[in-house]
Amino acid sequence: MKIKHYLSKTWSLLILLPFYLSAQTMTNVHGRKVQVLNGRWNAIIDQYAQGRKNEIYLNKKPEGKTEFYEYAFKHGLRLNVPADWNSQAPELKYYEGTVWYAREFDSQRQAGKRHFLYFGAVNYRCRIYLNGEQLGEHEGGFTPFQFEVTDKLLEKDNFLAVEVDNSRSPHAIPAMAFDWWNYGGITRDVFLIETPELFIEDYFIRLDKHLPDHIDAEIKLSQPVAGARINLRIPELRINQTLRTDAQGKAQLTFKVEKLQRWSPAAPKRYEVVVAHAGEEISEEMAFRNLWVKGEDIFLNGEPIFLKATSFHEEIPQRQGRAFSEADAVMLLSEAKALGCNMIRLAHYPQNEHTVRLAEKMGFLLWQEIPIWQGINFDNTKTKEKAQGMIREMVGRDKNRGAIAFWGVANETQPSPSRNSFLLDLIAQCKSIDSTRLIIAAFDLVKFDRQRQLFVMDDPFVKELDVVAVNKYLGWYHPWPVSPDRSLWEVARGQPLIISEFGGEALYGQTGKADMISSWSEDYQARLYADNLEMFKHIPNLRGTAPWILFDFRSPFRFHPSNQEGWNRKGLVSDQGHRKKAWYLMKSYYESIP
Ligand code: GCU
């Protein structure tokens, strides 16, 4: 049996065992009592995925004179958690396969408390073992998961092992090839969460979609207890409501608020919201705003808005590694603020909570998406189940983030009946959890119709979306069919349209030859931007733009030996943090829009 076949068999075997599946994470993990398990962990590179067969998660020590083990976790490779492994050791830069992480920890076990192991994200699939017992497994590299460990914790020396495999698969999301680095590892925070026996498991608190002074609150306890008293407070608005749970342990209330200052990028006002039950109290800052689409306009708090957006990957270019901390979020978001943006497309996968929460605090609308990126296997039911799980985990985690305007369900998919039904299920999944947000997807299907001398797009699926996004690289992948000032668009009329990707590559410091695409010069890139900004004047339903991309980023198939060196150079900012000439054009364009 080929090793790959063996590998895929063991993972798929696991997926069949439902009790192994990880649980949806409780809401607002950051507002709870947590023991942080970040730090330097021990690691073993398991290139032939033999560790599980050899049960190395038992962490056996040789006894007597005749025992020996061909592994030990201590005194070997050490890896930072959170972080990708690729950026931590030269031999791991291109590594795709299995790496074991392990650490020991003590815990303050208390009667009447429950404990959960929480992972912010592990790319791409993993199995979690505690004290020699497998807790379960998770697939999907960008959303959180948790396992209850209440009855499995020791006071001392708990041994936690995590088997991580980032190898690509045709049934995965993303699939076999994608334009970003396949960073593997425990890439986000790891916490041991402590809760009361009966705790506040979930809530969704938001302003009504249209009314400026009605708040809808749904709150759920961890067990189906009827009649429990839940207290909801927003001190600054002098809100102090009591709710009673139903037989499912759920409570729902809509109430009016006076003098609510709605959140906006220009005035990102947030309110402390406190949810309390029987001595437990969790709180967080929340943004309340109204967001809807009418005709070709997007309305924020009743006013039409133009989205001055940009995108970035979850990567710190100078470190050539995944972004994972609040400090990383400060770096990425400060550059977007300097450019004059009011929205970020967090490409192409749900990014970490530090970035999402800081973006809300700084005043950015957000587009969060799952990595349905180009060649996904839309005919495979397991792939659809994985996508639905990723939607559940993404929307579940961030539904209380008022800054999030869009859930994105796809990037550059090609029309087909199976694609349509796959995406319709994802849209239904989004709306079943959160009916308030706008649904978006990006397409690369705009063509120039020579007959009509118009840019057009033919994909009826766009009618299923609230806002239509188009990626179009005129001046880069596509030569101009007509001059920019004669580039008229008739795309998705009757709906708001966003140009979600445009741009071209430039190596910082390479100048001249503004008319030669192969120059990879800043001057060519600046000229390309000027041409696209001119074209934007001729798109009647344009309601937003997002240059691709804010920073140069790592990509394994950007081969050019001097211009790229494994980097996609479409950044307005170089991998060393230098702003290219096009950055200044984009900034003045955004300044020119009221
Ligand atoms: C595509 C894709 C991006 C990619 C970009 C490029 O539109 O959405 O993920 O990086 O093109 O080719 O640079």
Side-chain angles (χ1 to χ4, degrees):
M1 175 198 297
K2 281 208 299 288
I3 193 73
K4 193 171 62 162
H5 183 55
Y6 163 74
L7 259 187
S8 65
K9 264 186 103 48
T10 46
W11 283 107
S12 48
L13 177 73
L14 260 182
I15 289 166
L16 296 175
L17 303 173
F19 62 92
Y20 271 149
L21 289 181
S22 62
Q24 179 76 34
T25 50
M26 60 187 82
T27 195
N28 189 12
V29 163
H30 293 264
R32 295 178 189 267
K33 186 174 178 197
V34 300
Q35 180 179 337
V36 179
L37 296 178
N38 295 347
R40 282 186 79 69
W41 289 35
N42 299 311
I44 292 175
I45 301 172
D46 182 6
Q47 191 174 359
Y48 291 165
Q50 296 295 300
R52 178 176 171 77
K53 186 161 68 81
N54 298 334
E55 300 182 310
I56 64 173
Y57 49 87
L58 298 176
N59 196 29
K60 285 266 185 61
K61 304 286 189 304
E63 286 167 14
K65 294 196 179 314
T66 57
E67 256 196 2
F68 75 94
Y69 293 98
E70 293 185 70
Y71 72 90
F73 278 98
K74 281 198 172 135
H75 314 308
L77 176 67
R78 304 261 284 159
L79 291 175
N80 292 324
V81 169
D84 59 275
W85 64 55
N86 313 69
S87 56
Q88 296 195 59
E91 65 272 26
L92 292 174
K93 177 175 179 180
Y94 292 95
Y95 182 71
E96 292 184 311
T98 298
V99 171
W100 289 78
Y101 289 76
R103 66 159 290 168
E104 295 184 354
F105 65 93
D106 301 337
S107 74
Q108 293 76 30
R109 283 203 54 186
Q110 287 182 33
K113 298 291 184 191
R114 293 172 69 179
H115 291 89
F116 298 82
L117 263 181
Y118 164 90
F119 292 82
V122 178
N123 191 49
Y124 168 76
R125 56 181 73 76
C126 63
R127 294 187 186 98
I128 314 293
Y129 308 83
L130 182 65
N131 302 326
E133 180 194 346
Q134 177 169 339
L135 299 178
E137 56 96 43
H138 182 267
E139 179 171 347
F142 304 99
T143 45
F145 55 96
Q146 68 183 41
F147 292 101
E148 179 154 15
V149 293
T150 308
D151 304 330
K152 307 173 192 303
L153 274 182
L154 307 173
E155 297 276 331
K156 288 267 179 222
D157 305 332
N158 289 280
F159 182 72
L160 172 59
V162 182
E163 180 186 6
V164 183
D165 173 13
N166 76 330
S167 40
R168 286 160 294 119
S169 140
H171 321 301
I173 299 170
M176 290 305 284
F178 38 88
D179 196 15
W180 64 85
W181 208 263
N182 182 23
Y183 291 115
I186 305 176
T187 48
R188 293 185 193 159
D189 295 322
V190 181
F191 300 144
L192 179 67
I193 304 173
E194 180 187 291
T195 70
E197 185 61 48
L198 172 63
F199 65 94
I200 300 159
E201 182 176 70
D202 196 20
Y203 53 75
F204 185 15
I205 300 166
R206 70 279 183 190
L207 198 57
D208 178 83
K209 191 169 174 72
H210 293 92
L211 300 173
D213 54 2
H214 278 63
I215 289 184
D216 293 322
E218 293 157 22
I219 301 171
K220 182 178 176 301
L221 294 180
S222 54
Q223 286 157 38
V225 171
R229 276 168 57 95
I230 294 176
N231 180 238
L232 169 57
R233 299 197 302 276
I234 311 177
E236 195 179 335
L237 294 174
R238 286 189 299 287
I239 293 292
N240 188 334
Q241 297 280 357
T242 299
L243 300 83
R244 291 272 180 190
T245 56
D246 62 16
Q248 281 73 43
K250 293 178 182 175
Q252 194 279 332
L253 185 70
T254 297
F255 54 91
K256 250 171 97 67
V257 285
E258 311 291 332
K259 299 191 185 60
L260 172 78
Q261 188 187 330
R262 288 177 289 180
W263 178 96
S264 72
K269 170 69 181 171
R270 297 178 305 155
Y271 290 90
E272 189 199 25
V273 176
V274 183
V275 181
H277 163 259
E280 181 189 27
E281 202 167 278
I282 49 178
S283 66
E284 59 183 312
E285 297 285 322
M286 283 197 189
F288 296 104
R289 51 65 189 142
N290 297 117
L291 192 68
W292 70 78
V293 162
K294 189 162 177 289
E296 296 182 341
D297 288 313
I298 302 168
F299 288 84
L300 175 68
N301 301 331
E303 297 296 324
I305 186 170
F306 186 88
L307 300 172
K308 303 189 258 190
T310 189
S311 295
F312 51 66
H313 271 288
E314 187 174 59
E315 180 184 71
I316 299 299
Q318 294 86 336
R319 194 168 69 216
Q320 296 190 33
R322 276 269 170 259
F324 50 76
S325 67
E326 176 142 11
D328 291 341
V330 169
M331 191 287 271
L332 298 170
L333 292 165
S334 305
E335 192 56 38
K337 189 58 86 176
L339 187 61
C341 298
N342 62 13
M343 181 171 106
I344 312 272
R345 179 190 182 188
L346 296 175
H348 280 294
Y349 34 75
Q351 298 197 11
N352 68 76
E353 271 204 275
H354 299 294
T355 299
V356 172
R357 287 172 181 269
L358 183 61
E360 182 171 84
K361 182 178 180 180
M362 290 174 69
F364 291 102
L365 287 158
L366 294 173
W367 164 353
Q368 280 259 64
E369 56 185 332
I370 64 169
I372 299 288
W373 191 91
Q374 295 184 9
I376 296 294
N377 188 336
F378 291 122
D379 298 310
N380 182 307
T381 43
K382 285 219 176 325
T383 305
K384 185 190 289 192
E385 284 158 14
K386 290 171 195 173
Q388 289 171 317
M390 292 176 187
I391 290 275
R392 256 195 318 278
E393 292 171 351
M394 171 178 75
V395 179
R397 187 193 80 178
D398 289 344
K399 58 187 178 288
N400 289 305
R401 301 275 70 75
I404 293 181
F406 300 100
W407 298 127
V409 293
N411 183 69
E412 302 191 345
T413 58
Q414 301 313 310
S416 78
S418 58
R419 186 251 2 219
N420 291 355
S421 66
F422 191 104
L423 296 189
L424 282 173
D425 282 358
L426 295 192
I427 292 170
Q429 181 86 48
C430 278
K431 292 182 173 175
S432 70
I433 307 169
D434 165 20
S435 59
T436 68
R437 256 129 201 133
L438 304 178
I439 304 289
I440 197 168
F443 300 86
D444 61 343
L445 302 167
V446 167
K447 304 261 182 289
F448 186 70
D449 179 328
R450 293 208 171 280
Q451 218 54 34
R452 301 169 59 196
Q453 287 291 296
L454 280 174
F455 285 91
V456 297
M457 179 165 91
D458 175 22
D459 187 344
F461 187 79
V462 300
K463 288 290 175 228
E464 305 296 339
L465 305 167
D466 294 301
V467 177
V468 179
V470 163
N471 300 343
K472 191 69 183 173
Y473 287 91
L474 286 162
W476 192 255
Y477 297 123
H478 313 287
W480 290 92
V482 289
S483 60
D485 60 341
R486 290 171 45 233
S487 296
L488 311 180
W489 286 49
E490 269 300 297
V491 173
R493 290 313 305 270
Q495 293 178 267
L497 176 69
I498 292 180
I499 301 290
S500 42
E501 292 184 29
F502 71 94
E505 300 203 19
L507 177 63
Y508 173 73
Q510 201 150 279
T511 56
K513 298 187 185 140
D515 59 348
M516 255 182 85
I517 191 167
S518 59
S519 67
W520 244 269
S521 73
E522 286 189 55
D523 298 283
Y524 182 84
Q525 187 190 44
R527 154 83 185 283
L528 178 151
Y529 268 73
D531 288 346
N532 277 273
L533 299 182
E534 169 58 35
M535 175 177 73
F536 295 162
K537 295 174 189 167
H538 312 289
I539 308 178
N541 55 331
L542 182 68
R543 297 296 179 269
T545 57
W548 185 264
I549 186 169
L550 189 52
F551 299 95
D552 289 353
F553 62 95
R554 304 283 293 145
S555 173
F557 58 74
R558 300 297 173 172
F559 305 133
H560 194 285
S562 55
N563 291 323
Q564 292 180 313
E565 303 167 278
W567 289 90
N568 180 316
R569 297 277 186 206
K570 294 190 183 70
L572 288 170
V573 181
S574 78
D575 58 298
Q576 293 302 307
H578 298 295
R579 293 166 180 168
K580 302 173 191 174
K581 290 180 179 175
W583 187 96
Y584 298 90
L585 268 81
M586 204 62 218
K587 178 167 177 58
S588 55
Y589 174 69
Y590 280 164
E591 277 174 346
S592 72
I593 299 168

